[in-house]
Amino acid sequence: MAKPLDLKSTINLPRTDFPMKAQLPQREPQQLAQWEAEKLYQRILESRAQAPLFVLHDGPPYPTGDIHLGTGLNKIMKDMVVKSKTMAGFRSPYIPGWDCHGLPIESKVEKQLGGKKDSVAPAEFRRMCREFAVKYIDQNRRDFKRLGVLGRWEKPYLTMDPEHEATIADAFLTFMEKGYVYKGLKPVYWCISDRTALAEAEVEYADHTSPSIYVRFKLAQDGPDANSIPAALKGKNVYGIIWTTTPWTIPASMALAFHPDFVYAAVETDSGDVYLVADQLRKSVAGACGYKESKPLATYKGSELEAAHLKFHHPFLDRLEPAVLADYVTLEQGTGIVHTAPGHGADDFRTGQKYGIGTYAPLDDDGRFVEGLPEYKGKTVFEANPLIVKLLESRGALIGQGKLQHSYPHCWRCHNPVIFRATEQWFINLEHDHLRRHALNEIRKVKWTPEWGEQRLSGMVAERPDWCISRQRFWGVPLIVMYCEQCGEQFKDFQALRNVIRWFEREGADAWFTHSAEELLPPGTKCKCGSARFRKEKDILDVWFESGSTSLAVLKDGMWPADVYLEGPDQYRGWFQSSLLVGIGTRDRAPYKQVVTHGWTLDAEGRPMSKSAGNGVLPSEICEKWGADLLRLWTTSQDYQADVRFSEPMMTQLAESYRKIRNTFRFALGNLANFDPARDAVADSELSEMDAWMLHRTGELVAKCRAWYDEFEFHRVFHALYDFFVVDLSAFYFDVLKDRLYTFAPRNIARRSAQTAIYRITSALVRLAAPILVFTSEEVWKHLPRAAGEPDSVHMALFPTAEDFTTGLDRRKLENWESLLAVREQALKKLEEARSAKVINSGLGAKLQMRASGKTLELLKNYASSLPQLLIVSQVTVEPANASAANGQVDDIEVAHADGKKCERCWNYSIHVGENADYPAICERCTAAIAEIEGSRDPAVESANR
RNA sequence: GGGCCUGUAGCUCAGGUGGCUAGAGCGCGCCCCUGAUAAGGGCGAGGUCGACUGUUCAAGUCAGUCCAGGCCCA
């Protein structure tokens, strides 16, 4: 008589309370709160107190309302570096920082004041700026933390902190003391109605009607270089023709610029004069000026004219202007010759520097000429325009005029047109003490990721002009420069000046604005001339000098230089360069050993993301919709060395990938219910061969992932892990394992072997995934049985090692399994054919009849008993074949319907179903399993298993 | 316009020093399962390797030109 039995109750189905649905947007904040309450970051550092250091120095973002996706990507990458280094056994602190000073906040405060900046004292103005910065920093900090980034958030570094401001000022003094700093001229945007310098960002372009004039400059026929004048021009009335829309710059004209490669024609006009213009523009110039030209006397390349040392007479001043070369000269309009006023144009200034021509800018703050001819002296530049045109006319130099409407820079505050004006600025001399050469040397010693970074930065450093470090602003660190009130000399007692640093340490840089020079200096300080009264410099430092100094302020206690800097590609021009120069100027070396750059953040069409373009997506929105782990998955899914893209379809796809990973973890956890590694794990020698082989494969994966983490190749880690989850585990190993896990007696050694492997594999994968999926990994970790001594947070754990996965399985057997995997692929195709032909439905309904020869036959015979489980079919027969198939292929596989009846318990077909009178519906294997289960039914074991 | 970089299936990624019919996963199509179930499994169709011209017995891989895009300058 058959025993009554609930078959399903004898099956070991997965059981876990690890939820299938992630609900990341809801759960992640809870996890964050828990980490914060547990002081996870501090505990990690404490647990690594004796470990070797690995320092990533955070490039400080500028505090703004919402963080941009690119900023999110950057922070996530930094977090992955820190977490992976921590798990590799390093002590890797992360001190986030903010770049607090500078124009954007200053502008906001100005707006708040309704443009009446002068209505408050500098100290009060600075207080308001500070308030703004604090507000934004708090907001940013929330966003960054939400991404799962662990670090010293409660005490970040701020460039506006007193101690930090002191370090910046000190670095400046070091530069000054070592002789790098000099005062020079540089043209800047200048608003003559507000009497102030404007930053690039403070000018807006609007249409403006300017005079448009053609002016002729007469070639000097005498002088020391007269011999080199080309023969065709000798002794003639030759004129260089220029075109300009700013007649008022003519008094400051110092040179005529030619393009080195353009062809210039010397054409004789109806008046008998010879005019020099770009050959291509000959006709248009003649048309605009209303003269007739005959055929050209000669043509010259611009470079020839410069080589001939041509000089031209200024139309109304006693000045000779040399022909110079400039590659910004264009043929789009004008004459191909550009009158060059180094005091009133950025391009002109550079050309002037190159040729050692003076920077002449005879204007006061109101834009009035302080010297020159009576016709325009004392007038503002805009008043002077028509006067100078008239003057040119009266001197016979004006050969054409009109009006031109064009886009012209205007002041954002008063909306009046602005001018370029040379002003006194402070510079760091790149040649002093071979600063440039030293920098280029240091660049070579740094490891660049990607490698082309070296070339890129070298190119920039080699070409860059001297560093202008002064700004006419308030919200920043002042240049510690003082002048004697009596003799006017710059005060250069650096020991005394460093007293200011002490003030800054106590009160911050505000001290500069609230105390007199005499208070800031040590009591009794005197100038060489004997005077004790000093005047403070008003300028503040370029914020790039500040951010360039952050490593000095942040990396204490043997942390300097940093192991790595990691930023976007815009920082070659910015932080990488400023940090390098400050590092060399103060400590004679680069502040970083390695520099990693990631790409720019683009939308689906490859356009850069920005709020103004309307294609920007905020990290906070992504966290709300998808979760931070999804954003982190996005970050790792792509190769960051190129630009990275963001689109909704990508996120949908990643969400699917995430779901797969999560479910696979969940399956593993479900099958580890009641599994206690300390009690139930099977020794290596007792492992089923397939399990040992899978452990081996896991070991290979571990080795690869660790190497990739080492090289910061996160996307390779992601793709390898993901493929392992999908292909090796979900589609293969776990699928094959179901039969053993579900139908074998719970404590059967073969089932324990499977669980041992699942446990070890899962424990490894969750740790490898932890730097990427910081929340999900923690969730898995908490559900995973933990060995004694393992930390309660996955982020405190160490990465697995490949050695953890050596089981002693010999090489030949490993290869056997690789071959069997190939056989499996072959069999699956045949099974699919049989399914379409309706021979079978499920694989378990099949019997495979294989024919093979040689080594393959031998292999299949040796593993005959494992084949049905490996292929998830009910029966497999192996017969010798006549022909021998190519490398490891089975010659033939035939699929037939399985023999016997379907076992109601394990769903395998067997001819033995019904043989056991007690359980007529089950097969011989299940009969044995039930006997094993019943044999072990003693209450003590039972309770231990529940 | 200049410097540097990027361009392999719909998407993301592999393809040392040139050498078999260019690979993977996802997505897609078709099918199976219902004991991972708002899961799981299988098979299949997708690529002129941005374009062109060279070097070579042989090029996704080397060289040149061009096109598209990015960062930074101008």
Side-chain angles (χ1 to χ4, degrees):
Chain A
M1 187 60 203
K3 287 189 186 178
L5 180 66
D6 175 11
L7 285 177
K8 196 133 173 172
S9 73
T10 70
I11 301 276
N12 318 299
L13 292 178
R15 222 172 59 220
T16 177
D17 49 10
F18 181 85
M20 180 178 264
K21 288 200 72 171
Q23 294 183 298
L24 294 175
Q26 287 77 45
R27 275 204 199 100
E28 286 174 345
Q30 297 167 14
Q31 182 63 261
L32 280 171
Q34 199 187 337
W35 283 338
E36 199 155 330
E38 292 168 350
K39 298 195 182 308
L40 178 60
Y41 173 70
Q42 289 87 330
R43 282 169 58 217
I44 290 172
L45 282 189
E46 281 160 21
S47 73
R48 298 284 192 281
Q50 304 307 317
L53 252 183
F54 184 92
V55 178
L56 177 145
H57 179 43
D58 190 38
Y62 199 80
T64 52
D66 288 300
I67 59 167
H68 183 268
L69 183 56
T71 321
L73 167 100
N74 176 261
K75 274 290 193 282
I76 288 173
M77 281 188 59
K78 285 169 175 165
D79 188 54
M80 291 195 296
V81 168
V82 170
K83 286 205 168 82
S84 60
K85 285 295 174 186
T86 299
M87 295 186 79
F90 290 90
R91 178 162 59 98
S92 189
Y94 178 58
I95 305 170
W98 274 275
D99 184 17
C100 307
H101 297 308
L103 188 64
I105 285 179
E106 192 161 329
S107 304
K108 284 223 163 73
V109 173
E110 250 189 282
K111 246 176 220 162
Q112 207 176 37
L113 290 170
K116 285 178 278 181
K117 188 177 186 170
D118 302 336
S119 62
V120 297
E124 170 63 7
F125 184 78
R126 287 170 58 88
R127 195 195 57 75
M128 296 175 78
C129 290
R130 184 175 298 270
E131 220 166 69
F132 251 90
V134 166
K135 189 180 115 195
Y136 285 139
I137 287 165
D138 284 344
Q139 211 169 320
N140 282 188
R141 175 163 36 200
R142 271 197 297 280
D143 287 351
F144 285 144
K145 285 166 84 171
R146 178 65 187 82
L147 302 176
V149 178
L150 237 41
R152 204 178 79 183
W153 293 111
E154 74 288 354
K155 195 177 179 302
Y157 78 83
L158 306 179
T159 56
M160 66 178 182
D161 281 344
E163 187 196 2
H164 206 116
E165 290 181 329
T167 306
I168 294 164
D170 188 63
F172 168 74
L173 277 183
T174 303
F175 268 87
M176 182 68 104
E177 192 170 10
K178 290 185 175 176
Y180 288 110
V181 181
Y182 70 93
K183 202 171 192 176
L185 287 171
K186 185 189 155 112
V188 297
Y189 285 110
W190 187 271
C191 176
I192 62 173
S193 45
D194 289 348
R195 300 162 49 102
T196 179
L198 295 175
E200 199 87 29
E202 290 178 319
V203 302
E204 42 194 41
Y205 285 79
D207 271 354
H208 179 72
T209 304
S210 301
S212 154
I213 57 170
Y214 290 84
V215 182
R216 59 183 201 177
F217 284 61
K218 189 170 189 185
L219 179 68
Q221 293 282 0
D222 45 10
D225 294 315
N227 286 338
S228 58
I229 295 172
L233 304 181
K234 227 168 205 154
K236 299 216 166 66
N237 281 328
V238 182
Y239 295 87
I241 312 299
I242 66 98
W243 171 78
T244 182
T245 56
T246 50
W248 66 266
T249 59
I250 298 284
S253 180
M254 303 297 277
L256 296 193
F258 296 75
H259 192 286
D261 302 326
F262 292 171
V263 173
Y264 292 87
V267 292
E268 202 166 50
T269 68
D270 42 3
S271 62
D273 295 327
V274 177
Y275 285 180
L276 209 49
V277 292
D279 194 39
Q280 273 191 46
L281 296 170
R282 237 167 70 201
K283 298 226 158 54
S284 69
V285 175
C289 299
Y291 60 81
K292 286 205 167 57
E293 51 166 358
S294 61
K295 75 174 193 342
L297 300 177
T299 59
Y300 309 95
K301 273 183 69 175
S303 51
E304 295 175 66
L305 296 172
E306 185 230 24
H309 301 291
L310 297 190
K311 302 242 177 349
F312 298 89
H313 290 284
H314 190 279
F316 51 80
L317 295 172
D318 182 19
R319 181 187 300 154
L320 282 177
E321 305 196 17
V324 297
L325 297 178
D327 50 17
Y328 52 82
V329 175
T330 72
L331 294 173
E332 269 153 39
Q333 47 191 359
T335 67
I337 306 175
V338 174
H339 116 255
T340 298
H344 293 300
D347 285 338
D348 306 44
F349 178 73
R350 238 185 327 281
T351 305
Q353 293 252 295
K354 197 166 137 198
Y355 284 90
I357 297 166
T359 304
Y360 182 56
L363 303 178
D364 64 12
D365 288 357
D366 292 319
R368 288 182 195 280
F369 282 93
V370 293
E371 53 190 67
L373 300 186
E375 281 88 340
Y376 57 85
K377 189 176 170 187
K379 301 283 194 280
T380 70
V381 291
F382 297 115
E383 292 165 351
N385 263 341
L387 304 174
I388 287 169
V389 172
K390 231 158 128 189
L391 176 62
L392 289 168
E393 197 169 13
S394 71
R395 300 297 173 101
L398 187 74
I399 60 167
Q401 65 169 311
K403 299 254 180 249
L404 181 78
Q405 203 190 18
H406 59 159
S407 162
Y408 189 86
H410 289 67
C411 173
W412 72 343
R413 252 165 293 180
C414 66
H415 306 292
N416 286 313
V418 302
I419 62 170
F420 249 102
R421 178 191 175 212
T423 52
E424 283 201 320
Q425 302 290 344
W426 291 92
F427 296 85
I428 288 176
N429 181 351
L430 270 289
E431 312 311 328
H432 181 257
D433 199 20
H434 310 291
L435 179 55
R436 192 190 305 275
R437 207 172 70 198
H438 197 155
L440 293 170
N441 273 333
E442 284 299 308
I443 288 170
R444 247 178 282 134
K445 295 183 201 157
V446 173
K447 179 177 180 187
W448 297 92
T449 309
E451 283 178 13
W452 47 256
E454 176 179 349
Q455 204 184 338
R456 181 153 180 188
L457 190 60
S458 292
M460 286 180 169
V461 168
E463 295 293 322
R464 68 160 295 158
D466 283 350
W467 184 1
C468 177
I469 54 168
S470 53
R471 298 294 124 98
Q472 291 69 52
R473 296 276 154 195
F474 292 106
W475 183 225
V477 175
L479 280 84
I480 310 302
V481 171
M482 294 196 190
Y483 306 93
C484 173
E485 285 279 29
Q486 183 170 302
C487 68
E489 289 276 301
Q490 188 187 340
F491 179 64
K492 286 198 172 170
D493 178 343
F494 289 96
Q495 207 186 326
L497 284 169
R498 279 186 203 278
N499 200 55
V500 177
I501 307 301
R502 306 286 89 78
W503 279 95
F504 281 19
E505 284 166 353
R506 289 192 299 268
E507 301 183 2
D510 289 342
W512 190 259
F513 300 89
T514 52
H515 296 279
S516 68
E518 294 73 25
E519 287 176 291
L520 293 169
L521 292 168
T525 303
K526 281 197 165 88
C527 173
K528 280 179 294 188
C529 78
S531 164
R533 292 183 51 242
F534 299 95
R535 177 170 60 84
K536 294 172 291 184
E537 174 64 75
K538 286 201 167 75
D539 291 357
I540 61 166
L541 281 163
D542 175 19
V543 287
W544 286 113
F545 188 89
E546 295 194 18
S547 58
S549 312
T550 55
S551 72
L552 308 178
V554 178
L555 306 183
K556 313 271 191 186
D557 308 321
M559 285 163 69
W560 199 95
D563 288 287
V564 68
Y565 276 32
L566 192 170
E567 305 295 334
D570 49 338
Q571 299 307 330
Y572 285 103
R573 169 62 53 187
W575 197 50
F576 297 152
Q577 203 175 137
S578 63
S579 297
L580 176 68
L581 295 174
V582 173
I584 293 169
T586 56
R587 298 192 184 173
D588 282 325
R589 65 151 295 172
Y592 39 69
K593 297 176 195 158
Q594 181 174 3
V595 173
V596 182
T597 1
H598 59 251
W600 210 247
T601 319
L602 313 176
D603 68 12
E605 279 70 49
R607 302 269 158 208
M609 278 196 161
S610 73
K611 37 199 174 314
S612 55
N615 61 352
V617 182
L618 299 175
S620 55
E621 294 170 355
I622 297 168
C623 287
E624 221 168 285
K625 181 169 181 186
W626 309 92
D629 267 1
L630 255 291
L631 181 56
R632 299 179 70 106
L633 215 52
W634 169 79
T635 302
T636 21
S637 68
Q638 301 181 65
D639 181 359
Y640 65 80
Q641 296 198 9
D643 292 340
V644 293
R645 296 191 181 210
F646 182 92
S647 68
E648 289 279 317
M650 271 173 86
M651 290 308 285
T652 317
Q653 181 174 317
L654 284 167
E656 283 298 299
S657 309
Y658 174 85
R659 200 178 49 75
K660 185 71 174 191
I661 293 171
R662 186 177 179 90
N663 266 323
T664 308
F665 267 134
R666 182 168 181 269
F667 178 83
L669 293 172
N671 285 102
L672 293 174
N674 293 336
F675 179 81
D676 173 3
R679 182 190 65 201
D680 303 319
V682 168
D684 285 353
S685 56
E686 303 284 319
L687 285 168
S688 299
E689 220 176 280
M690 182 166 70
D691 300 334
W693 168 60
M694 281 307 293
L695 287 171
H696 169 79
R697 290 178 71 115
T698 307
E700 291 176 329
L701 178 73
V702 167
K704 281 190 286 186
C705 288
R706 290 196 63 141
W708 288 326
Y709 269 125
D710 255 5
E711 297 292 319
F712 307 135
E713 299 205 69
F714 304 123
H715 73 285
R716 287 185 190 257
V717 175
F718 165 73
H719 282 281
L721 282 179
Y722 181 57
D723 281 6
F724 196 78
F725 271 103
V726 172
V727 182
D728 295 82
L729 295 184
S730 185
F732 170 64
Y733 187 51
F734 285 176
D735 203 30
V736 167
L737 238 37
K738 283 173 193 166
D739 182 72
R740 220 195 308 165
L741 289 165
Y742 296 173
T743 70
F744 283 32
R747 297 189 295 149
N748 180 283
I749 182 99
R751 181 167 182 272
R752 289 305 196 202
S753 168
Q755 287 181 303
T756 302
I758 292 175
Y759 167 70
R760 289 167 68 176
I761 292 169
T762 308
S763 168
L765 292 180
V766 69
R767 282 177 283 159
L768 289 176
I772 302 167
L773 296 170
V774 297
F775 295 100
T776 306
S777 302
E778 188 75 324
E779 202 182 345
V780 172
W781 186 255
K782 299 221 190 269
H783 282 83
L784 191 67
R786 212 168 300 140
E790 280 189 317
D792 57 3
S793 168
V794 71
H795 301 299
M796 296 184 75
L798 290 169
F799 277 144
T801 66
E803 290 71 47
D804 297 342
F805 292 90
T806 50
T807 57
L809 193 66
D810 70 59
R811 158 101 46 88
R812 243 192 38 251
K813 285 183 173 157
L814 293 173
E815 282 167 4
N816 285 343
W817 282 94
E818 299 294 334
S819 307
L820 289 170
L821 200 58
V823 170
R824 185 171 188 267
E825 274 184 43
Q826 214 183 331
L828 289 178
K829 287 199 207 313
K830 291 290 180 185
L831 284 168
E832 189 57 31
E833 286 171 22
R835 238 191 302 269
S836 326
K838 304 287 179 199
V839 176
I840 56 160
N841 290 318
S842 131
L844 285 178
K847 172 170 84 170
L848 297 182
Q849 295 164 303
M850 298 188 172
R851 289 177 194 285
S853 53
K855 279 193 170 167
T856 308
L857 178 65
E858 202 184 318
L859 176 78
L860 294 178
K861 285 199 151 163
N862 284 339
Y863 287 88
S865 64
S866 306
L867 291 177
Q869 287 133 63
L870 177 67
L871 308 174
I872 319 183
V873 296
S874 283
Q875 291 124 14
V876 179
T877 65
V878 177
E879 303 288 336
N882 311 325
S884 157
N887 43 349
Q889 288 268 301
V890 181
D891 293 283
D892 182 48
I893 300 177
E894 267 185 55
V895 182
H897 197 277
D899 298 333
K901 286 202 282 195
K902 179 174 173 179
C903 168
E904 283 183 17
R905 184 167 176 276
C906 70
W907 298 346
N908 280 276
Y909 282 75
S910 168
I911 53 171
H912 300 294
V913 170
E915 284 181 0
N916 186 315
D918 285 345
Y919 310 113
I922 68 174
C923 69
E924 72 283 9
R925 253 183 20 172
C926 288
T927 304
I930 284 173
E932 199 178 334
I933 293 166
E934 295 195 323
S936 67
R937 280 227 173 134
D938 77 74
V941 173
E942 202 52 17
S943 63
N945 269 346
R946 281 292 141 93

